[in-house]
Amino acid sequence: MQEAFVNINNIPTHIITWGKWIEESLNDTKELVICITGNPGLPGFYTEFGDALRKELGSSGQNLPVWVIGHAGHDDPPAASIREVPQLSGNQELFNLDGQITHKIEFIKKYVPRDVKIHLIGHSIGAWMILQLLQEQEIRQRVKKCYMLFPTIERMMESPNGWLFTKIAMPLYSVFGYVFFTFFNVLPVWLRILLIQIYFLIFSIPKQFTGTALKYTKASVAEKVVFLADDEMARVRGLQRELVQENLGLLTFYYGTTDGWVPVSYYEQLKQKFPQVDAKLDSKKIAHAFVLRHSKPMATIVSNMIQQNVQSN
């Protein structure tokens, strides 16, 4: 595994890779995997998934590089870095949905040669971003297949979690959020880590994500995460039916059965609207935020999907 912050769309961006680093030659590589995260978009939450996926693909003889790209502004570089993430105020266009899409387009154009095919994984809002990327012909031509995991591609505000976010979480954050995160970061590091680990213990989240969670609790990061989520509620409304229809052959959907963001009814309605769609319903009770507790089984599922498409060359 290799990781670093690289400048994309003038924003230091956390990239984690397995197999080949983004600046290594891809002359002997025909295909690779790029994962676009959900929100919050910190790649640190995807390390177990990326590692397991790379191993699964390698054990089957498919040594595809696996790259995970974080969202702009969701992960600050180390304090010693000469680059800083711009503040949210006055730079909203860099951190909203449109800014995040531009960010991903620039990354692909800069680091993926035109003759290398991409297996795009989109988790949650990452799946909606993939649909928008497919409108860019230069990107679409490079895509081999898209794997839309727990896809928040429609009616986010109408979902149970969307209602909770807009009616309860967002009003509370608008009043107390920034003050809470600012105060939290005044606490000694050991106390912050202890509080996070207590939270993890209560919700059965592995301790390995403590460092990533600590970064997530920075006020400057949290406000960009919430800002993006608020934009998602406003923008991700009706299903983009024409876009789905035009790209049906490139899309594979994977829906959960316990998903507060994407109810099973969304899966059923997608199947009704597009009888030919490649959409699967989870049978293992994997959570929407699969990277926290179900990375390995999800990696096996995605690896099997990718292998089917690599082998179809």
Side-chain angles (χ1 to χ4, degrees), residues 276-306:
Q276 265 66 59
V277 69
D278 182 6
K280 300 171 176 62
L281 189 63
D282 174 61
S283 61
K284 303 178 185 295
K285 294 187 177 179
I286 295 176
H288 181 90
F290 70 86
V291 292
L292 297 181
R293 303 179 191 89
H294 302 106
S295 285
K296 290 182 179 178
M298 201 66 229
T300 299
I301 291 166
V302 176
S303 173
N304 290 336
M305 293 176 180
I306 292 173

Side-chain angles (χ1 to χ4, degrees), residues 34 135 149 200 217 240 301:
I34 296 177
Q135 297 186 78
L149 311 181
F200 279 11
T217 57
Q240 296 170 290
I301 291 166

Side-chain angles (χ1 to χ4, degrees), residues 60-170:
S60 66
Q62 308 295 344
N63 291 309
L64 277 64
V66 175
W67 298 353
V68 177
I69 177 173
H71 291 321
H74 288 207
D75 206 344
D76 283 347
S81 174
I82 60 172
R83 295 173 179 156
E84 293 185 355
V85 176
Q87 64 180 9
L88 176 61
S89 179
N91 295 294
Q92 288 88 342
E93 75 283 353
L94 294 176
F95 305 112
N96 61 13
L97 283 170
D98 288 338
Q100 298 294 351
I101 293 161
T102 299
H103 179 254
K104 308 307 177 288
I105 291 172
E106 180 171 316
F107 173 74
I108 292 171
K109 287 183 176 179
K110 185 174 182 179
Y111 291 107
V112 182
R114 291 176 182 270
D115 60 343
V116 174
K117 289 293 185 181
I118 307 169
H119 294 267
L120 271 179
I121 300 171
H123 176 212
S124 191
I125 194 61
W128 187 86
M129 292 181 189
I130 283 177
L131 283 179
Q132 315 319 307
L133 292 178
L134 291 175
Q135 297 186 78
E136 290 284 326
Q137 199 57 33
E138 187 177 340
I139 302 297
R140 190 181 190 278
Q141 290 172 351
R142 305 183 193 196
V143 172
K144 182 67 180 286
K145 196 76 174 181
C146 305
Y147 311 91
M148 320 286 263
L149 311 181
F150 306 91
T152 53
I153 58 173
E154 60 174 312
R155 294 175 288 168
M156 285 191 69
M157 191 184 292
E158 296 173 33
S159 69
N161 283 5
W163 186 91
L164 288 171
F165 177 82
T166 54
K167 302 299 183 183
I168 299 175
M170 195 61 191

Side-chain angles (χ1 to χ4, degrees), residues 13-306:
T13 302
H14 194 185
I15 306 293
I16 303 179
T17 71
W18 293 261
K20 283 199 175 184
W21 177 240
I22 58 173
E23 293 170 333
E24 287 185 56
S25 171
L26 293 174
N27 289 339
D28 59 346
T29 302
K30 294 182 179 179
E31 301 180 21
L32 59 77
V33 179
I34 296 177
C35 177
I36 299 176
T37 66
N39 184 14
L42 291 87
F45 286 125
Y46 290 76
T47 51
E48 187 179 21
F49 172 70
D51 186 61
L53 179 59
R54 167 69 178 176
K55 287 177 180 174
E56 289 274 353
L57 291 170
S59 67
S60 66
Q62 308 295 344
N63 291 309
L64 277 64
V66 175
W67 298 353
V68 177
I69 177 173
H71 291 321
H74 288 207
D75 206 344
D76 283 347
S81 174
I82 60 172
R83 295 173 179 156
E84 293 185 355
V85 176
Q87 64 180 9
L88 176 61
S89 179
N91 295 294
Q92 288 88 342
E93 75 283 353
L94 294 176
F95 305 112
N96 61 13
L97 283 170
D98 288 338
Q100 298 294 351
I101 293 161
T102 299
H103 179 254
K104 308 307 177 288
I105 291 172
E106 180 171 316
F107 173 74
I108 292 171
K109 287 183 176 179
K110 185 174 182 179
Y111 291 107
V112 182
R114 291 176 182 270
D115 60 343
V116 174
K117 289 293 185 181
I118 307 169
H119 294 267
L120 271 179
I121 300 171
H123 176 212
S124 191
I125 194 61
W128 187 86
M129 292 181 189
I130 283 177
L131 283 179
Q132 315 319 307
L133 292 178
L134 291 175
Q135 297 186 78
E136 290 284 326
Q137 199 57 33
E138 187 177 340
I139 302 297
R140 190 181 190 278
Q141 290 172 351
R142 305 183 193 196
V143 172
K144 182 67 180 286
K145 196 76 174 181
C146 305
Y147 311 91
M148 320 286 263
L149 311 181
F150 306 91
T152 53
I153 58 173
E154 60 174 312
R155 294 175 288 168
M156 285 191 69
M157 191 184 292
E158 296 173 33
S159 69
N161 283 5
W163 186 91
L164 288 171
F165 177 82
T166 54
K167 302 299 183 183
I168 299 175
M170 195 61 191
L172 285 173
Y173 178 83
S174 64
V175 177
F176 304 110
Y178 198 83
V179 173
F180 168 79
F181 284 110
T182 301
F183 171 76
F184 183 82
N185 280 276
V186 173
L187 299 174
V189 174
W190 69 265
L191 182 54
R192 280 181 273 158
I193 291 173
L194 178 62
L195 291 172
I196 289 170
Q197 290 182 341
I198 291 171
Y199 177 87
F200 279 11
L201 184 64
I202 293 170
F203 291 97
S204 302
I205 299 172
K207 285 185 178 181
Q208 70 192 63
F209 297 116
T210 301
T212 301
L214 194 62
K215 292 198 274 184
Y216 173 33
T217 57
K218 290 184 63 175
S220 59
V221 171
E223 69 171 349
K224 295 182 181 78
V225 169
V226 173
F227 173 74
L228 179 61
D230 194 39
D231 197 33
E232 292 168 24
M233 299 303 120
R235 294 274 306 278
V236 184
R237 297 299 185 96
L239 180 67
Q240 296 170 290
R241 295 184 63 160
E242 289 185 9
L243 197 50
V244 172
Q245 182 65 58
E246 289 169 4
N247 296 286
L248 212 53
L250 292 176
L251 303 173
T252 292
F253 295 91
Y254 194 88
Y255 285 81
T257 55
T258 61
D259 195 337
W261 287 109
V262 191
V264 174
S265 60
Y266 288 16
Y267 161 81
E268 294 169 341
Q269 290 161 18
L270 184 77
K271 295 280 283 185
Q272 290 171 359
K273 291 169 185 173
F274 306 99
Q276 265 66 59
V277 69
D278 182 6
K280 300 171 176 62
L281 189 63
D282 174 61
S283 61
K284 303 178 185 295
K285 294 187 177 179
I286 295 176
H288 181 90
F290 70 86
V291 292
L292 297 181
R293 303 179 191 89
H294 302 106
S295 285
K296 290 182 179 178
M298 201 66 229
T300 299
I301 291 166
V302 176
S303 173
N304 290 336
M305 293 176 180
I306 292 173

